[in-house]
Amino acid sequence: FYHRVLAVSEPNHSRNSSVYNMAEAYDLAFSYRDIPHEVDFLLSIYNDVATYWPEERSPALLELASGPARHAMAFAKRGWHAVALDISPTMCQYGKIVSEQQNCNVSYVCDDMINFDTSEKFDLSIMMIDSVCHILNKKDIENHFRSVANSLGPNGIYIMEIAYNENGDNATKSEWNISNDDSYIDVSWKDIFRIQDDCFLTEFNLIGRIREVDLKFSERFLRRSWARRDLEDVIKNSSFFDIINVFHDLSKKEIMKSDAWRNIFVLRKI
């Protein structure tokens, strides 16, 4: 699930970036996230705003751009029917292995988060860690909202975690390091230059060791830092969702703190 040495200097225009094919390294890089706490928050929000509760089945979750789907695994452990969707076959394969090791019943679908169809309807959909940055234009974000709405049941809820952006600047964590018993990794990413409006050429670097394999990875990719006002305009004009609330932390406080780095949109299907 990783490469011995991989260096990429040309920008990757595909949402199937090669970093997402390094599933084990990616999983370690983002393991600083407190998944149980985040799922507590997501469930609390869902419990507050849901208007429909299934009586004869478990509630159903769809995690989009899921990576290994750590959030979906946590939902599954709490009795939810959980499905994870990601464009990378390697990431889906890795997620299946990890979920089986943790005795989590998570189903994986390899598909694009912009245009997808599901064979079932979900009560809650989530997309975390600013994955929306890979959707670069208005047409694609509209198609994304259409696909999500079609996958949800009546009055279904969609929660999106988006990097905070009012000035076109990236406010997310950009450098960190993390380790476990036999692996370590240094992570950094930075915007190289602004291409237009809120679109950037961004460089992502991983350096470390995954068990016995040295890792040195660099890639440049295009991303959009969605301003809240622009995303709100798309949501309102597309008529797929109502905006229920916007939070700025994994708590129910709506006051913007000085160190806030995200907007968490809570949407209900119309």
Side-chain angles (χ1 to χ4, degrees):
F1 302 110
Y2 48 84
H3 303 285
R4 184 172 296 276
V5 176
L6 175 60
V8 180
S9 58
E10 294 299 318
N12 190 331
H13 299 269
S14 169
R15 289 177 295 277
N16 192 10
S17 167
S18 55
V19 68
Y20 300 116
N21 293 323
M22 305 171 64
E24 188 173 359
Y26 176 92
D27 193 25
L28 176 60
F30 289 93
S31 61
Y32 68 87
R33 304 271 301 207
D34 186 347
I35 302 297
H37 169 71
E38 294 181 11
V39 170
D40 284 343
F41 170 78
L42 295 169
L43 283 172
S44 177
I45 295 300
Y46 180 77
N47 291 337
D48 285 347
V49 301
T51 59
Y52 169 77
W53 287 90
E55 296 181 357
E56 299 180 354
R57 61 171 176 83
S58 299
L61 167 85
L62 176 63
E63 182 177 1
L64 297 168
S66 64
R70 293 288 182 175
H71 292 86
M73 293 180 206
F75 271 88
K77 289 180 178 179
R78 302 186 190 205
W80 282 59
H81 169 62
V83 175
L85 183 147
D86 197 274
I87 197 171
S88 167
T90 305
M91 193 70 77
C92 290
Q93 181 186 2
Y94 173 80
K96 288 178 183 178
I97 293 172
V98 174
S99 63
E100 289 173 0
Q101 291 173 343
Q102 298 200 5
N103 295 316
C104 294
N105 187 13
V106 178
S107 299
Y108 287 80
V109 177
C110 187
D111 209 342
D112 188 340
M113 63 178 167
I114 293 177
N115 295 294
F116 66 90
D117 293 304
T118 59
S119 58
E120 57 185 308
K121 299 296 183 182
F122 298 89
D123 304 297
L124 171 64
S125 183
I126 62 173
M127 186 161 67
M128 308 297 287
I129 319 182
D130 196 36
S131 294
V132 73
C133 76
H134 297 295
I135 303 178
L136 302 179
N137 57 65
K138 181 179 178 182
K139 179 180 178 181
D140 283 348
I141 195 71
E142 288 176 345
N143 286 335
H144 168 75
F145 284 126
R146 179 182 293 108
S147 295
V148 178
N150 289 339
S151 73
L152 290 169
N155 299 318
I157 302 300
Y158 183 27
I159 302 177
M160 307 172 70
E161 180 188 31
I162 301 167
Y164 173 72
N165 175 18
E166 294 302 326
N167 303 310
D169 296 326
N170 167 43
T172 62
K173 195 171 185 177
S174 58
E175 291 185 4
W176 68 95
N177 57 73
I178 197 160
S179 62
N180 59 23
D181 291 339
D182 54 7
S183 303
Y184 70 91
I185 199 164
D186 292 325
V187 184
S188 68
W189 66 285
K190 60 182 178 180
D191 293 329
I192 304 301
F193 60 83
R194 184 192 302 267
I195 296 174
Q196 61 180 14
D197 299 328
D198 294 332
C199 288
F200 298 83
L201 179 65
T202 300
E203 183 174 276
F204 185 81
N205 296 285
L206 297 175
I207 300 175
R209 188 175 182 85
I210 305 296
R211 295 190 302 278
E212 75 282 1
V213 178
D214 290 330
L215 174 70
K216 185 177 182 180
F217 172 87
S218 180
E219 180 176 61
R220 292 182 178 184
F221 63 95
L222 300 179
R223 73 172 188 92
R224 178 161 182 174
S225 182
W226 284 91
R228 173 175 172 172
R229 61 185 180 278
D230 293 337
L231 204 57
E232 287 178 339
D233 287 344
V234 173
I235 293 168
K236 292 173 181 177
N237 292 333
S238 65
S239 300
F240 296 116
F241 291 95
D242 285 328
I243 300 173
I244 305 303
N245 214 330
V246 180
F247 299 97
H248 305 294
D249 200 352
L250 292 173
S251 69
K252 295 181 181 179
K253 297 178 181 179
E254 298 180 57
I255 299 174
M256 175 65 76
K257 298 190 298 183
S258 60
D259 60 347
W261 63 267
R262 52 191 156 196
N263 287 311
I264 299 174
F265 278 76
V266 181
L267 312 178
R268 179 184 288 122
K269 178 179 175 179
I270 297 175

